[in-house]
Structures are given as structure tokens and as C-alpha cells.
Amino acid sequence: MNEKKIIQEKPDTALILLGCPQIPIQTSAALYLSAILHKKEVKVTIGGTKAARALLEIADIDKIYTGGPEGIRNIDTVIDDLADETFDTDVSFVFVHNEAGVAYTATVQAISSGTVIAVVFGGETEVRMKELTEIGCMAISAQGSHNPLPLKKKIDEVVSWDA
């Protein structure tokens, strides 16, 4: 899959969806993605598990990178609001390192009208990419759990839409 220009035009809104923060690079990659989107004037909402939200809230105490119209929300509330169509975004980035992440991606893909991109990382990226291909989801991936730089590079390619 060509990972460049997945997003053709600047979106107005974005969702970053985070599952269990078991893999260390998730939090730094999510903060980085949120910061880049904010700099590009995209309104960002972050949905996450209790632990994922706590890591972000402590790392960004002044809400410089995680502030926004919706801020940081409970992952289940975000899914519920997507399902009842009271919330949606132009693009959703779903962080995936396990089967639950693939399930969340499939759910968001089924109920969101926007573009859904899985951000795959961790030690089982090949397995997760195969599962995401089976559900027809666009994805970027970088093998690894501790060094966020390969995943950062993939994120940079995705958020390089035409002006």
C-alpha cells in the first residue's frame, strides 16, 4: 500500500483513538500526531482507555497538544457517539498493537463517515497488517515498541496532504 497521500486534502477534524498503552511508543506517537494536527489547524479529539488518557493528561498537563473542542474522551463514549451519529470526524487514526485494536478499527470504519487509518506498531505488526487488510482498512506500520522514530516517519508521510 502506498502510504503517501492517504489523506489528499487537509481535514477539518480528526480523531486519535488509543487502546491499552501496553506498548511504550503509543503515548509519544499519539502526542506527536496530535501536535502535528494542531499545528496544521485540524481540530483533534482523542479517545482512549482510562490508562491511555491518564498518560496523555500527565504528559500534557497544560493541554497544549491534547486540547481541542472535544479534548480527551473515554474510548467507549467516543464509539457510542460515533454509533448514534452525534459525533464524527473527517479522519480517524486508530492506534493498533493487538487484536482489540483491530476490532476498534473495524468498528470505527463501520460507523464513521470519515477516512480511517490504522497506526500499527509493536511486535506483531505483520499479523495486525494482515488482519487490517482483510477488513479493507488503510494502515501504516512500524515494527517496534520503544523507539518511536520509525512510527513518527510513517505518521509524517500520512499528514503530508496537499495544501
Side-chain angles (χ1 to χ4, degrees):
M1 176 182 300
N2 183 356
E3 294 175 353
K4 293 182 180 179
K5 304 294 181 189
I6 289 176
I7 304 171
Q8 299 295 319
E9 298 178 7
K10 176 190 163 294
D12 292 328
T13 57
L15 169 67
I16 299 173
L17 202 64
L18 306 171
C20 170
Q22 178 182 8
I23 307 295
I25 65 172
Q26 176 176 278
T27 301
S28 63
L31 280 173
Y32 176 76
L33 176 58
S34 183
I36 293 298
L37 292 170
H38 276 95
K39 287 181 180 181
K40 293 178 177 271
E41 300 179 354
V42 177
K43 295 175 185 169
V44 178
T45 299
I46 300 173
T49 62
K50 182 177 181 180
R53 294 191 320 268
L55 286 168
L56 291 175
E57 290 165 351
I58 289 170
D60 187 24
I61 192 165
D62 292 326
K63 301 185 185 321
I64 294 170
Y65 306 114
T66 58
E70 301 278 345
I72 301 174
R73 300 176 59 201
N74 179 296
I75 191 170
D76 294 325
T77 303
V78 170
I79 296 295
D80 288 346
D81 289 350
L82 282 168
D84 67 16
E85 299 180 357
T86 58
F87 171 77
D88 204 354
T89 57
D90 297 330
V91 62
S92 296
F93 297 91
V94 183
F95 280 62
V96 176
H97 68 86
N98 58 18
E99 291 176 348
V102 174
Y104 274 117
T105 304
T107 299
V108 172
Q109 187 168 268
I111 59 180
S112 174
S113 65
T115 301
V116 178
I117 302 167
V119 180
V120 183
F121 58 98
E124 299 179 341
T125 56
E126 289 182 25
V127 174
R128 300 290 87 86
M129 289 298 284
K130 182 179 179 198
E131 293 167 345
L132 290 161
T133 299
E134 290 172 1
I135 64 169
C137 183
M138 293 182 280
I140 59 172
S141 71
Q143 183 90 21
S145 300
H146 294 92
N147 179 0
L149 295 178
L151 191 57
K152 174 198 171 292
K153 182 178 177 183
K154 298 291 184 171
I155 289 170
D156 287 342
E157 292 171 357
V158 171
V159 296
S160 64
W161 51 78
D162 296 329

